[in-house]
Amino acid sequence: MQHFDDFDVVIVGAGFAGLYMLHRLRTLGLSVRVCEAGSGVGGTWFWNRYPGARCDVESMEYSYQFSEELQQQWEWTERYAAQPEILRYANHVAEKFELCRDIQFDTRVTAASFDEAAGRWRIKTGNGGEFTARYCVMATGCLSTANIPNLAGLDTFAGRWYHTGHWPHERVDFTGLRVGVIGTGSSAIQSIPIIAQQAEHLYVFQRTPNYAVPARNAPLDPREQQAIKADYAGLRRRAKTMRNGIQYPVNEALALEVTEQERRREYEARWERGGLSFLGSFADLLVDRQANDTAAEFVRAKIGEVVRDPGVAVALSPRNTFGCKRLCIDTGYYETFNRPNVTLIDVNRAPIDGVAREGLVAGGKTYAVDAIVFATGFDAMTGALRKIDIRGRAGTRLEEKWAEGPRTYLGVATAGFPNLFTITGPGSPSVLTNMLPSIEQHVEWIADCILHARERGRGCIEPTLAAEHEWVAHVNEVAGGTLFPSCNSWYVGANIPGKPRVFMPYIGGFPRYVEACNQIAADGYAGFALA
Ligand code: NAP
């Protein structure tokens, strides 16, 4: 008989991954408990409430497809959904499938260790709770651990400071305030235009300029939505044939094999269309340096056309590889630097020295501000797992095993840690794709894998070291054939001091990855050992 705090599966996190994992496992008749640090569901969309927070994947695609009824019922209002709407959607899903009864909120998992004798995971929480479970699924998110730079004097700051990924639930109004934003990644690029409209003055502290393409967000025409829903399965099917799991036209031509005029026409059309489809302009953009330069040059020219002060335009113009950091999608970002109340500070010329009572100090000068916004990103892909004391066989700590970088089989499991699964973990396409279909694919695969072990009466399933080595080598080899590792991005952990430099996601593309996962399952979970 099961003890009340013993489950078949404990899931960590109630974002989109945890919610669907719970639903799927419950459907199979398993007992499940979800531990969630926040006081509500939604993960990323629960925490990232900063002004302008919006998804850069179109709403008709950034949604679950496991339930036809759900995808037919839900009505999106904009081409790109804003954070409050996505959070409403997450809550709607939780309600529709009665998920909250198995979720324990305000419960942060602090430790998980595998008890070899019992063949079970012991999971400890920050509020003194303890569970045991045959399986543990980490649905902890790829971008959930805030990176807050260790700035001297922050504790002496007289104003308020925020991190975009941990935004307060109450409305933050910057009207009449002097604000400093640190960072110019996606979160900054979305929030800066809105903060600038409110603030008396906004200082933007930039370390590396980023490429941003217009979103061209607009209300979603109900007729267009209806047309998509009439063949939703078709859209989903087509999207799954795309490298990043998002449906947009991909030009198979090579940038260097067309005339300059044709190239320009293609870039202009994509610029007008808006969004991530710009990445589909030419097939060689991310593999050929010269091809890449043509896209980079096009965006730099656009920045020059928009930003009136030539010095500011140059400072805002990236020089690194186009697209090897996550492409940003903006609404009025570059235009914001034409406002008289916005000042760009290049921290390469004037490094941030620290924080004083009255503001930010950079290059020896104090910028008096009433509020600081850290738009400084996340300890991506491994940060949330590193925060939990995870111990596998013989008490081995995951952090130790991953000291030189994450090592997984398919990004779903790691040798020496039986019955532990990671949804969209390092070594899977995850952040390089539309997260929702990637999450669904992992959830379904993991559920099938658990079922496979149970049906055979086996208590433990884990990857072999040989299979893991082979997968890690493949992940590295594929990344090495692209321009991706050339930037100091969070994909390689470069934003976190001391983090090993390893390209973490799998760049082989969603279709190839899914095929590999399916083949492994069809071969009786090849590369996994059952005990
Ligand atoms: P990010 O892309 O990592 O950007 C962080 C920014 O902070 C960078 O400009 C970084 O500069 C700067 N920074 C970090 N530490 C700093 C320091 N000590 N001093 C000065 N500058 C510092 O983080 P993010 O903007 O939160 O975005 C993370 C990811 O979340 C995105 O790439 C995207 O995948 C996702 N996201 C998506 C959306 C969307 O759907 N639209 C919105 C927001 C976020 P360096 O570049 O020099 O490191």
Side-chain angles (χ1 to χ4, degrees):
M1 210 181 80
Q2 272 191 338
H3 189 242
F4 72 96
D5 55 4
D6 180 60
F7 298 90
D8 291 323
V9 188
V10 162
I11 299 169
V12 186
F16 281 125
L19 289 178
Y20 182 37
M21 192 80 242
L22 165 62
H23 175 64
R24 186 80 180 186
L25 293 173
R26 244 177 26 186
T27 313
L28 297 178
L30 273 66
S31 65
V32 188
R33 171 59 53 98
V34 180
C35 296
E36 165 56 54
S39 57
V41 301
T44 288
W45 304 102
F46 176 86
W47 298 106
N48 286 263
R49 296 165 186 250
Y50 60 85
R54 191 179 285 284
C55 190
D56 59 5
V57 174
E58 297 190 27
S59 46
M60 293 304 289
E61 293 196 57
Y62 192 81
S63 51
Y64 288 122
Q65 56 192 289
F66 70 84
S67 159
E68 181 61 16
E69 190 182 279
L70 170 67
Q71 69 174 1
Q72 288 297 333
Q73 264 177 0
W74 184 262
E75 296 283 319
W76 294 104
T77 64
E78 292 179 273
R79 180 178 176 191
Y80 298 96
Q83 174 271 333
E85 189 170 28
I86 304 176
L87 190 57
R88 275 201 299 282
Y89 173 73
N91 277 290
H92 169 75
V93 172
E95 213 170 290
K96 182 175 173 68
F97 298 101
E98 298 178 11
L99 300 177
C100 288
R101 66 181 147 91
D102 290 320
I103 305 174
Q104 195 167 311
F105 293 106
D106 302 306
T107 302
R108 180 173 289 283
V109 168
T110 52
S113 60
F114 186 66
D115 178 338
E116 287 188 66
R120 303 189 90 76
W121 281 91
R122 288 190 181 284
I123 289 125
K124 291 189 179 158
T125 71
N127 35 21
E130 197 167 334
F131 304 99
T132 52
R134 171 73 62 194
Y135 297 94
C136 179
V137 181
M138 295 294 176
T140 39
C142 297
L143 294 156
S144 49
T145 301
N147 166 39
I148 301 171
N150 190 11
L151 294 184
L154 184 57
D155 54 338
T156 66
F157 180 51
R160 290 198 63 180
W161 63 267
Y162 310 89
H163 186 280
T164 49
H166 279 282
W167 205 258
H169 286 210
E170 66 274 13
R171 192 175 127 72
V172 177
D173 186 357
F174 293 112
T175 304
L177 301 185
R178 297 158 305 174
V179 183
V181 171
I182 303 177
T184 47
S186 294
S187 304
I189 282 176
Q190 288 186 330
S191 55
I192 282 168
I194 296 170
I195 297 174
Q197 284 166 23
Q198 297 174 359
E200 180 195 300
H201 201 92
L202 171 62
Y203 298 97
V204 176
F205 294 83
Q206 171 185 272
R207 188 163 68 183
T208 314
N210 259 307
Y211 295 94
V213 168
R216 313 266 181 230
N217 186 36
L220 203 51
D221 180 347
R223 280 167 308 182
E224 191 192 331
Q225 183 153 190
Q226 231 17 69
I228 291 173
K229 285 183 176 179
D231 181 27
Y232 224 148
L235 169 71
R236 303 297 199 178
R237 207 173 37 247
R238 288 189 297 280
K240 282 180 183 166
T241 65
M242 306 286 294
R243 285 184 66 80
N244 57 8
I246 307 171
Q247 199 222 282
Y248 55 67
V250 169
N251 185 1
E252 294 302 336
L254 303 181
L256 299 179
E257 286 186 353
V258 299
T259 64
E260 199 181 326
Q261 218 178 11
E262 285 169 308
R263 217 161 38 222
R264 183 155 190 91
R265 202 179 314 124
E266 184 70 25
Y267 287 143
E268 283 291 356
R270 303 262 173 179
W271 188 265
E272 276 319 302
R273 179 192 166 100
L276 293 171
S277 97
F278 197 90
L279 290 167
S281 306
F282 293 101
D284 50 352
L285 285 192
L286 282 155
V287 284
D288 186 304
R289 168 69 56 195
Q290 266 181 295
N292 192 279
D293 286 344
T294 65
E297 194 42 57
F298 177 85
V299 179
R300 284 195 287 266
K302 287 288 182 194
I303 298 170
E305 283 168 25
V306 172
V307 179
R308 286 198 287 269
D309 181 322
V312 176
V314 168
L316 284 169
S317 297
R319 297 282 151 194
N320 54 8
T321 310
F322 172 82
C324 86
K325 284 190 168 191
R326 170 79 171 202
L327 182 62
C328 299
I329 306 301
D330 83 291
T331 301
Y333 175 65
Y334 294 118
E335 289 82 349
T336 299
F337 292 89
N338 291 331
R339 295 176 67 101
N341 69 332
V342 176
T343 306
L344 181 70
I345 292 140
D346 180 351
V347 305
N348 296 301
R349 289 186 182 187
I352 300 177
D353 304 315
V355 184
R357 193 183 142 68
E358 56 281 3
L360 273 158
V361 186
K365 181 176 167 190
T366 301
Y367 296 87
V369 292
D370 306 295
I372 299 171
V373 174
F374 288 96
T376 42
F378 303 90
D379 183 352
M381 306 211 66
T382 52
L385 296 169
R386 288 199 318 178
K387 263 173 68 175
I388 304 171
D389 182 6
I390 301 173
R391 292 167 193 249
R393 284 195 193 282
T396 303
R397 293 174 60 215
L398 186 69
E399 189 161 13
E400 264 168 49
K401 181 183 168 181
W402 287 7
E404 304 298 316
R407 302 189 67 79
T408 70
Y409 184 37
L410 298 175
V412 293
T414 187
F417 295 75
N419 297 354
L420 179 76
F421 294 100
T422 48
I423 301 180
T424 62
S428 74
S430 58
V431 291
L432 299 175
T433 65
N434 179 2
M435 288 302 287
L436 265 286
S438 277
I439 283 171
E440 286 185 308
Q441 186 256 338
H442 264 190
V443 164
E444 289 162 16
W445 196 93
I446 291 167
D448 288 349
C449 182
I450 290 176
L451 207 57
H452 173 84
R454 280 172 71 87
E455 281 172 357
R456 278 151 192 78
R458 302 303 188 90
C460 280
I461 185 160
E462 70 182 293
T464 64
L465 261 180
E468 183 175 290
H469 286 330
E470 207 179 310
W471 183 253
V472 171
H474 174 60
V475 170
N476 291 335
E477 188 195 329
V478 181
T482 71
L483 299 174
F484 271 90
S486 67
C487 288
N488 288 329
S489 65
W490 55 258
Y491 295 140
V492 296
N495 62 329
I496 303 296
K499 198 166 170 175
R501 192 180 178 108
V502 173
F503 191 79
M504 292 182 284
Y506 175 60
I507 206 179
F510 187 70
R512 187 170 166 194
Y513 175 77
V514 173
E515 203 186 308
C517 289
N518 290 347
Q519 193 56 53
I520 284 164
D523 293 344
Y525 293 87
F528 281 88
L530 284 159

